[in-house]
Amino acid sequence: MLVVLMIISILLLIAIPNMTKNNEVAGEKGCDATIKLLQAQVSVYELEEGNPPSSIADLIDGKYADKGTCPGGETLELNNELIVIKPS
C-alpha cells in the first residue's frame, strides 16, 4: 500500500508542473484568438464606416466587439491599425 502511495505521489509531482504550463499556453492562444477576432472586426468597421477606428473603444461602442481584453486580463489597444497587447 505504501508503494502505491509513493508511486501516485511521484506521478502527481510530475503532472502538476505540466498542468500549469498547459494553462499558460492556453492563455496565450486565447489572446492570439482574441487579437485575430479583433483584426477581423477592424476590417468590418472600415468597410461599413469608411474609415479605420481610432481605438478599440470605437469597436466596442459601435457594437463590433464585446471587449478589448484577452482571457488572461491583458488589455489590447489599437496602434496604427495593428492590435497590440498593452504592457501592464
Side-chain angles (χ1 to χ4, degrees):
M1 182 74 161
L2 186 58
V3 173
V4 171
L5 290 174
M6 294 275 294
I7 291 172
I8 291 172
S9 64
I10 290 171
L11 290 174
L12 284 174
L13 287 174
I14 293 170
I16 290 174
N18 289 335
M19 287 180 202
T20 57
K21 183 179 177 182
N22 290 342
N23 287 341
E24 292 172 6
V25 170
E28 291 171 6
K29 291 193 184 273
C31 195
D32 290 344
T34 302
I35 290 173
K36 287 180 182 179
L37 180 63
L38 284 173
Q39 288 171 337
Q41 292 163 337
V42 166
S43 297
V44 171
Y45 183 94
E46 288 178 2
L47 287 172
E48 291 185 0
E49 302 293 328
N51 58 344
S54 59
S55 69
I56 298 284
D58 288 347
L59 293 174
I60 295 170
D61 293 341
K63 306 294 186 221
Y64 292 92
D66 294 335
K67 59 181 181 171
T69 59
C70 287
E74 299 93 346
T75 305
L76 300 172
E77 66 180 23
L78 194 60
N79 186 3
N80 294 329
E81 297 185 32
L82 295 174
I83 298 169
V84 294
I85 300 173
K86 184 178 180 181
S88 40

